[in-house]
């Protein structure tokens, strides 16, 4: 019975690990050569321009980015003007680039009718190669009454401008945050940027994480004293082995306003091989010591697991999970506790 309770504890240990894991903008003046153009009937100005992650609906190849272009259009004429996304085209080296719908459809520009003297604001989204030179063209369609003779409006955009390239950096902030959580909770590393990237208090969160592990051992499956020293040593060994043998690939998949989805991929340590080893040693110990207490069995089991864990090898198969983060400050991303992030431990250790 003592042995059975210990393996319930081991299961709780893994569950607790899962449960406890709880802009710069491009300067238009420098990025665009002449950010305002006028025709007989319309005045077009470009606003903020920045790189972003293409939405899932975008036809983007690996390594490509999205380019978001904010604009305003004022109707200076006496008649209404119809304006849609199709009036704008983006080119790079004479190649027309594909547009896409943003993750938040409300940010997109589908088209509207602009009354005389009125102005509209909108955003355009294109799949691009970082650092290229771009030309945005506003095309006057001949079927628009009264506008047949207007010129085509062109804007040259420097995709290699330093300030515009800085907007790429913010795309990595959610990934940086996840890396900080992994370093502190799973690798046992002291990430000095934890609070800067996550907005969380590192010491408080690590304490809560570790207390969650310890609390699992004070539940109904453990009736007596807990071998805290043995458990802390085991956790330290697990973290050390994970840090050494489980490198992770962390990719920000999407950012939509204050929500980000980050993908974590790794080959978890196959710790399930420890179960028969610990069972055998614990059973031999109980047979030889029929009066052994639960604490005695805990000490043996935790020590055996710690000793054997150093030999555990990673899986041959990758495990990929998605985590959701919420923006809590300037360039700070925190684990979203309202999202199902309980799979956080899966890429690191598998006890099955």
């Amino acid at each position: 019975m003592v042995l059975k309770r210990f393996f319930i504890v081991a299961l709780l240990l893994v569950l607790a690990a899962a449960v406890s894991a709880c802009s710069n903008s491009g300067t238009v003046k420098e990025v665009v050569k002449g950010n305002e153009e006028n025709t007989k009937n319309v005045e077009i100005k470009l606003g903020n321009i920045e790189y972003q992650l293409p939405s899932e609906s975008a036809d983007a190849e690996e390594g490509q980015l999205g380019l978001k272009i904010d604009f305003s259009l004022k109707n200076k004429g006496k008649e209404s003007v119809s304006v849609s996304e199709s009036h704008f085209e983006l080119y790079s080296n004479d190649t027309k680039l594909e547009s896409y719908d943003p993750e938040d459809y409300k940010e997109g520009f589908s088209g509207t009718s602009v009354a005389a003297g009125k102005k509209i604001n909108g955003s355009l989204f294109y799949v691009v190669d970082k650092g290229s030179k771009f030309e945005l063209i506003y095309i006057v369609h001949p079927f628009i009454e009264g506008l047949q003779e207007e010129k085509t409006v062109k804007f040259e955009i420097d995709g290699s401008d330093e300030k515009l390239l800085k907007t790429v950096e913010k795309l990595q902030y959610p990934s940086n945050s996840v890396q900080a959580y992994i370093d502190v909770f799973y690798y046992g590393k002291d990430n000095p940027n934890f609070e800067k990237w996550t907005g969380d208090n590192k010491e408080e969160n690590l304490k809560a994480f570790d207390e969650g592990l310890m609390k699992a051992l004070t539940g109904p499956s453990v009736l007596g004293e807990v071998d805290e020293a043995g458990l802390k040593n085991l956790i330290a060994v697990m973290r050390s082995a994970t840090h050494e043998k489980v490198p992770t690939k962390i990719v920000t998949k999407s950012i939509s306003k204050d929500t980000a989805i980050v993908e974590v991929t790794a080959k978890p340590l196959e710790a399930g091989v420890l179960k028969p080893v610990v069972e055998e040693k614990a059973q031999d110990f109980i047979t030889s010591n029929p009066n052994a207490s639960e604490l005695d069995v805990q000490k043996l089991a935790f020590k055996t697991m710690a000793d054997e864990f150093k030999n555990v090898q990673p899986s041959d198969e990758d495990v990929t999970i998605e985590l959701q983060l919420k923006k809590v400050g300037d360039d700070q991303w925190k684990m979203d506790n309202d999202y199902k992030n309980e799979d956080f431990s899966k890429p690191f250790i598998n006890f099955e």
Side-chain angles (χ1 to χ4, degrees):
M1 190 65 181
V2 170
L3 187 60
K4 180 179 180 181
R5 284 202 300 271
F6 169 75
F7 282 107
I8 294 176
V9 168
L11 176 60
L12 288 173
L13 178 67
V14 181
L15 293 177
V19 173
S20 299
C22 11
S23 133
N24 293 321
S25 298
T27 303
V28 175
K29 184 178 179 181
E30 299 181 10
V31 176
V32 183
K33 295 181 180 179
N35 65 300
E36 179 179 340
E37 292 288 344
N38 292 271
T39 67
K40 182 176 67 176
N41 287 323
V42 296
E43 174 189 272
I44 301 176
K45 293 182 180 180
L46 297 191
N48 179 57
I49 300 175
E50 64 181 22
Y51 287 114
Q52 64 171 215
L53 295 173
S55 65
E56 291 187 3
S57 64
D59 185 17
E61 298 178 0
E62 186 174 355
Q64 288 189 307
L65 295 172
L67 186 70
K68 178 185 178 184
I69 305 172
D70 294 338
F71 74 94
S72 67
L73 183 146
K74 182 178 180 179
N75 181 3
K76 303 186 301 177
K78 297 180 180 180
E79 302 292 335
S80 295
V81 174
S82 295
V83 182
S84 70
E85 181 189 18
S86 65
H87 289 79
F88 295 90
E89 293 181 352
L90 188 70
Y91 287 83
S92 178
N93 296 323
D94 296 325
T95 299
K96 182 180 176 181
L97 304 180
E98 294 293 326
S99 63
Y100 67 90
D101 295 323
E103 294 287 351
D104 185 350
Y105 72 93
K106 295 180 181 179
E107 294 184 3
F109 177 71
S110 58
T112 186
S113 178
V114 186
K118 298 299 182 180
K119 183 175 75 171
I120 62 164
N121 297 298
S123 298
L124 305 168
F125 301 84
Y126 299 94
V127 176
V128 302
D129 292 322
K130 182 180 69 173
S132 299
K133 303 290 184 180
F134 308 110
E135 185 177 58
L136 180 67
I137 298 177
Y138 172 72
I139 301 173
V140 181
H141 290 265
F143 61 78
I144 301 178
E145 185 177 354
L147 299 181
Q148 289 93 331
E149 298 179 357
E150 291 212 35
K151 67 176 182 179
T152 299
V153 176
K154 297 182 180 180
F155 299 91
E156 293 182 8
I157 301 174
D158 183 5
S160 63
D161 178 82
E162 182 179 353
K163 291 189 176 181
L164 181 54
L165 289 175
K166 281 187 176 297
T167 65
V168 179
E169 295 178 8
K170 72 176 184 178
L171 304 180
Q172 299 306 314
Y173 292 153
S175 293
N176 290 343
S177 177
V178 171
Q179 183 65 68
Y181 283 113
I182 291 172
D183 285 345
V184 173
F185 294 144
Y186 291 97
Y187 288 167
K189 291 177 58 179
D190 179 23
N191 189 313
N193 293 311
F194 184 90
E195 295 177 352
K196 174 184 176 182
W197 291 344
T198 69
D200 270 336
N201 182 286
K202 179 170 59 177
E203 299 302 326
E204 290 180 0
N205 276 261
L206 180 58
K207 181 180 178 181
F209 184 91
D210 286 345
E211 285 180 350
L213 300 184
M214 301 297 291
K215 187 176 180 180
L217 299 178
T218 61
S221 60
V222 176
L223 304 179
E225 187 180 354
V226 175
D227 177 24
E228 293 190 9
L231 177 57
K232 289 179 179 179
N233 178 62
L234 172 60
I235 293 173
V237 170
M238 291 168 61
R239 281 176 168 150
S240 177
T242 304
H243 181 208
E244 178 186 354
K245 301 177 182 180
V246 187
T248 55
K249 179 182 179 182
I250 306 172
V251 179
T252 303
K253 300 297 291 183
S254 67
I255 301 176
S256 179
K257 290 187 177 180
D258 63 348
T259 301
I261 299 296
V262 177
E263 190 177 82
V264 179
T265 301
K267 292 179 171 61
L269 294 175
E270 294 289 7
V273 297
L274 298 179
K275 184 176 180 180
V277 176
V278 177
E279 281 183 337
E280 181 179 357
K281 288 196 175 184
Q283 189 60 61
D284 290 344
F285 178 76
I286 294 172
T287 301
S288 302
N289 302 274
N291 296 322
S293 66
E294 180 171 331
L295 181 61
D296 293 331
V297 178
Q298 282 186 43
K299 288 181 177 180
L300 174 71
F302 287 144
K303 184 180 185 305
T304 301
M305 289 185 70
D307 291 342
E308 296 293 334
F309 207 92
K310 301 172 184 178
N311 300 319
V312 173
Q313 297 301 312
S315 169
D316 293 331
E317 301 293 332
D318 282 331
V319 172
T320 299
I321 61 168
E322 286 188 347
L323 304 174
Q324 180 166 299
L325 292 88
K326 301 292 288 185
K327 190 172 184 179
V328 294
D330 291 339
D331 305 325
Q332 290 181 324
W333 294 87
K334 182 177 182 178
M335 291 287 291
D336 186 355
N337 293 329
D338 295 328
Y339 186 75
K340 295 182 179 180
N341 289 326
E342 65 268 19
D343 291 339
F344 198 3
S345 64
K346 286 188 176 181
F348 301 99
I349 300 176
N350 177 24
F351 272 92
E352 295 181 358

